Each structure stands twice: as structure tokens, then as C-alpha cells.
Amino acid sequence: VQLQASGGGLVQAGGSLRLSCAASRRAFSNYYMGWFRQAPGKEREFVAAISGRTKDSYTADSVKGRFSISRENDKDTIYLQMNSLKPEDTAVYYCASKVVGGRPLPSASWGQGTLVTVSS
């Protein structure tokens, strides 16, 4: 499956952004999907994930209560709603398929990344 992430940009602290990730595969609804981020000089970290049909979701403690993940299976798209953004949320955000337990499977597909910059 090919993934196309979008929606990043520059926002002031306290602001909001919504990221989107469109998938190219018709079996999209079967996949757990997720978001990860990588800040400059840091390792990639898990942000949020959502199951395929039941849409059960979970988020990392660092973004809990501020970020939420959702999906529209009829549009083959997942979203990451980011509220109350902080400068430490600045990173390149990646979407991925086949995310289990906060980790991508070896066969996971990745989007190209979208940059989120939060100014103080």
C-alpha cells in the first residue's frame, strides 16, 4: 500500500493542525494504521494508532489528551488531529500501515512524512 501524508505546516504554540494520510489500497480498512514522528536529532517515536474496522485507538502518553487519531475507511484516509500544540511537537510526522502495539511490522508501509513546526 502507498501512503500520502499531508497537512503539516507552521503553527504557533497552542494552535491546531490536522494531518491526513491517504492510502492507495482497497483493503485499507483491514489495516491497523498509525502515526509516528521524528524530531531533529531524535529517534522516531510512536504517536497514535487506530484499528481497522472497530476503529479502536490509542495514543502515546506524550500527546494524550491533545492529539487524536481517526479514520474514514470509505475514503481510505486516516487523520491526526493535533490540538494545544507545543514547540516540542515539532517534528516530521509519518503515517504507517500495520502498526501493532505501537510498533510497525517489518512489512509496514510508510508515507513520505509531513513537517510540523510549532513556534513559541
Side-chain angles (χ1 to χ4, degrees), residues 39-115:
K42 295 187 177 181
E43 294 186 353
R44 183 183 65 198
E45 65 172 343
F46 168 76
V47 175
I50 187 167
S51 64
R53 298 186 183 278
T54 62
K55 302 181 182 180
D56 296 325
S57 65
Y58 54 100
T59 56
D61 289 342
S62 58
V63 303
K64 198 175 297 290
R66 300 188 298 121
F67 291 12
S68 61
I69 186 171
S70 61
R71 67 191 296 160
E72 292 186 278
N73 288 337
D74 58 341
K75 296 182 179 180
D76 297 334
T77 301
I78 66 168
Y79 306 96
L80 184 68
Q81 179 66 43
M82 305 184 294
N83 300 326
S84 302
L85 282 161
K86 303 176 181 180
E88 52 263 43
D89 294 319
T90 295
V92 177
Y93 284 73
Y94 299 90
C95 57
S97 65
K98 302 181 182 181
V99 177
V100 180
R103 297 180 179 180
L105 295 179
S107 58
S109 296
W110 293 88
Q112 84 284 9
T114 184
L115 176 62

Side-chain angles (χ1 to χ4, degrees), residues 10-16 83-89 117-120:
L10 174 63
V11 63
Q12 289 188 332
S16 298
N83 300 326
S84 302
L85 282 161
K86 303 176 181 180
E88 52 263 43
D89 294 319
T117 304
V118 184
S119 63
S120 58

Side-chain angles (χ1 to χ4, degrees), residues 7-22:
L10 174 63
V11 63
Q12 289 188 332
S16 298
L17 279 176
R18 189 177 80 157
L19 306 183
S20 300
C21 176

